[in-house]
Amino acid sequence: MNTIEQPDWVARSLKSVWHPCTQMQHHETVPLVPVSHGRGAWLYDAQGRRYLDAISSWWVNLFGHANQRINAALKDQLDLLEHAMLAGFTHEPVIRLSEQLAARTNNVLGHCFYASDGASAVEIALKMSFHFWRNSGQTDKREFVCLKGSYHGETIGALAVTDVQLFRDAYGPLLQQAHVVASPDARQAQDGESPADVAHRAAQQLEEMLQQRPGKIAAVIVEPLVQCAAGMAMYDPVYLSELRAICNRHQVHLIADEIAVGCGRTGSFFACEQAAIWPDFLCLSKGISGGYLPLSLVMTRDDIYQGFYDTDVRRGFLHSHSYTGNPLACRAALATLAIFDEDDVINRNKEQATKLGKALAMFASDSRVEHVRQRGMIWACDARTDDPAFSRKFFTAALQHELLLRPIGRTLYLMPPYILDDEETALLAQRTHAVFQQVIGA
Ligand SMILES: *Cc1c(COP(=O)(O)O)cnc(C)c1O
């Protein structure tokens, strides 16, 4: 398959490629895996070893690597149009994608604005919210609210609404301060409290915050149902319905960042559906292209769109990227949506999720973990350990068991592609527990 020797490949990468989310020096002890190809849920390295991609390559891959249907769509598109600018031009893939996504919100969010990565979609939602209020004469509405432990991306605007201590310590001086309010994370339940009680408490705190800054807040941004990067913090949907009502009462926009939780991950196509609400802005990326190509978008309501509709250029939304609405990426997304329909994915995922949860039942009776939890195709638990190297040790040990798993702190989680068969599900569960025993016992 590939004639490049693995040691040479790794050394060359370490010399010239600056890898993300990594202290490069750790690669003196943590392996760098040279991937040569992928098939279904599996990635293969240059020496033919395989790894079950149990975190969907950072939550992007929904239907496996080298998916036949997505590949076919891309090959077809490649000979038609690889790219054309979207200012003054349009093309069928971007039109069809916008129409199909809007239809999935019953046309409540009927306007789609495109970018290439998740952080840019968040930047767009923040700018649009601010600009909408300014266009309607409310120039003081320029502050944002986010939740404790929130993650919305790492560009400077998105980082301002991201509550991760490590990033704040490093880049805080560059950022516009956002208001950080309580997370509805169900793990915070006190004696006798239900997840809904925790959600209600957090919602009340948010409302108090908004009351203190009347006329100043543009938008509240949340990750619906699961704060993934915070360590798969899951919460009751009632938080979202209360949040919707609070935002309405205070004339504040609600931005739903569904970059990680959208596209069927939590059990419905959009996570917001489980609370029967629609936000004012909905951000999508990651899974929308099936994990194939960089694509992100922000969906919004007609009244917001109308707030920009004018003869004056300055009242129009001012934002663009070179690859906005790239046709190849849109075709990958259309092929992904077609799979949802053809394979009845939302319903089938309910069975998949049940099987996954059952296969992992050994964790529920393992006293070395707590807070075993699941929402759709996200399963997580917290290891009872204070070893700061738990995640790195787990990653390394998992590779030896043919698994790609990368815990967040002491949170061990699985977020696999939706296509695992029963055998793969069983293998994943058994080996995850075996790796856990090895790492926690060490
Ligand atoms: C990954 C992620 C982002 C950022 O997306 P990028 O494509 O990495 O910039 C934003 N919000 C959430 C919830 C995410 O999971």
Side-chain angles (χ1 to χ4, degrees):
M1 168 58 57
N2 204 312
T3 54
I4 302 173
E5 282 296 312
Q6 179 180 354
D8 179 42
W9 212 358
V10 170
R12 279 166 53 206
S13 188
L14 290 178
K15 195 156 171 230
S16 57
V17 182
W18 197 337
H19 292 266
C21 213
T22 300
Q23 170 50 266
M24 290 299 290
Q25 201 196 55
H26 285 162
H27 282 305
E28 288 177 12
T29 51
V30 178
L32 183 66
V33 184
V35 185
S36 74
H37 63 291
R39 282 283 177 284
W42 297 88
L43 291 167
Y44 296 83
D45 74 12
Q47 295 181 327
R49 279 189 295 253
R50 61 173 196 167
Y51 308 94
L52 185 66
D53 189 354
I55 56 168
S56 300
S57 282
W58 259 351
W59 323 343
V60 300
N61 191 294
L62 304 187
F63 300 117
H65 298 277
N67 181 286
Q68 290 296 311
R69 284 179 274 179
I70 303 175
N71 284 7
L74 284 176
K75 284 172 188 168
D76 179 61
Q77 183 61 38
L78 206 47
D79 284 330
L80 285 170
L81 177 66
E82 80 300 329
H83 184 68
M85 60 191 280
L86 201 65
F89 281 72
T90 194
H91 50 78
E92 207 190 343
V94 79
I95 298 168
R96 277 169 48 210
L97 181 58
S98 307
E99 287 172 350
Q100 289 185 22
L101 285 171
R104 285 175 190 268
T105 69
N106 301 319
N107 293 311
V108 173
L109 304 173
H111 303 272
C112 297
F113 194 98
Y114 288 84
S116 317
D117 56 70
S120 298
V122 168
E123 303 268 343
I124 287 164
L126 298 175
K127 277 175 69 180
M128 247 183 207
S129 170
F130 163 76
H131 200 164
F132 173 86
W133 293 124
R134 203 184 62 174
N135 278 353
S136 48
Q138 307 202 53
T139 46
D140 283 349
K141 282 187 184 267
R142 42 171 294 190
E143 296 172 15
F144 297 103
V145 180
C146 63
L147 303 189
K148 205 165 175 344
S150 57
Y151 180 94
H152 298 290
E154 298 178 37
T155 55
I156 290 176
L159 206 50
V161 288
T162 288
D163 179 43
V164 175
Q165 199 57 44
L166 185 67
F167 300 155
R168 277 205 189 271
D169 291 347
Y171 304 112
L174 298 180
L175 308 175
Q176 193 201 335
Q177 278 302 305
H179 302 278
V180 182
V181 295
S183 159
D185 182 352
R187 288 175 297 182
Q188 299 169 82
Q190 288 152 11
D191 290 343
E193 259 189 335
S194 68
D197 295 334
V198 180
H200 183 62
R201 189 150 50 79
Q204 270 182 324
Q205 199 203 313
L206 170 75
E207 182 147 36
E208 281 159 25
M209 194 264 112
L210 294 181
Q211 275 157 354
Q212 283 162 19
R213 304 289 295 160
K216 303 282 190 203
I217 308 292
V220 179
I221 182 167
V222 295
E223 296 154 85
L225 300 184
V226 189
Q227 294 181 285
C228 295
M232 303 301 157
M234 299 185 186
Y235 62 85
D236 195 284
V238 77
Y239 182 76
L240 295 173
S241 32
E242 292 196 19
L243 180 60
R244 179 68 275 182
I246 291 169
C247 286
N248 289 350
R249 274 202 290 279
H250 295 269
Q251 273 210 39
V252 164
H253 288 144
L254 172 54
I255 303 172
D257 176 351
E258 297 224 6
I259 290 167
V261 296
C263 301
R265 183 52 77 179
T266 65
S268 44
F269 188 82
F270 296 111
C272 281
E273 291 172 53
Q274 292 178 53
I277 61 140
W278 292 115
D280 300 294
F281 302 95
L282 191 149
C283 305
L284 279 186
S285 188
K286 292 207 163 100
I288 186 61
S289 72
Y292 266 66
L293 287 161
L295 179 69
S296 69
L297 60 118
V298 178
M299 304 175 70
T300 193
R301 296 171 185 269
D302 194 51
D303 59 326
I304 290 173
Y305 174 78
Q306 294 302 338
F308 291 84
Y309 204 81
D310 199 273
T311 50
D312 186 347
V313 175
R314 289 165 306 177
R315 286 177 64 93
F317 185 52
L318 305 171
H319 194 99
S320 59
H321 292 287
S322 311
Y323 284 100
T324 295
N326 174 261
L328 281 167
C330 290
R331 270 306 282 279
L334 285 167
T336 300
L337 292 183
I339 295 174
F340 272 95
D341 293 340
E342 287 160 18
D343 295 1
D344 193 17
V345 169
I346 297 299
N347 279 321
R348 230 200 37 195
N349 267 8
K350 296 197 170 102
E351 288 163 43
Q352 289 275 99
T354 306
K355 282 180 185 170
L356 187 66
K358 275 191 187 148
L360 288 153
M362 66 287 243
F363 279 98
S365 52
D366 193 320
S367 60
R368 295 164 300 180
V369 301
E370 56 184 341
H371 302 304
V372 177
R373 55 197 182 276
Q374 184 175 8
R375 168 102 32 205
M377 291 298 285
I378 308 175
W379 178 95
C381 67
D382 302 332
R384 292 185 197 269
T385 174
D386 42 25
D387 182 356
F390 171 75
S391 171
R392 249 186 295 152
K393 286 181 186 165
F394 199 101
F395 172 71
T396 307
L399 290 178
Q400 285 154 8
H401 289 76
E402 299 187 316
L403 299 182
L404 167 49
L405 279 173
R406 209 180 138 118
I408 300 169
R410 63 187 191 92
T411 297
L412 168 61
Y413 75 92
L414 305 182
M415 204 155 159
Y418 306 158
I419 47 141
L420 298 187
D421 62 26
D422 292 352
E423 208 175 305
E424 288 165 335
T425 302
L427 179 149
L428 173 59
Q430 279 151 19
R431 293 200 189 170
T432 300
H433 196 244
V435 173
F436 174 74
Q437 284 180 303
Q438 184 187 320
V439 174
I440 207 88

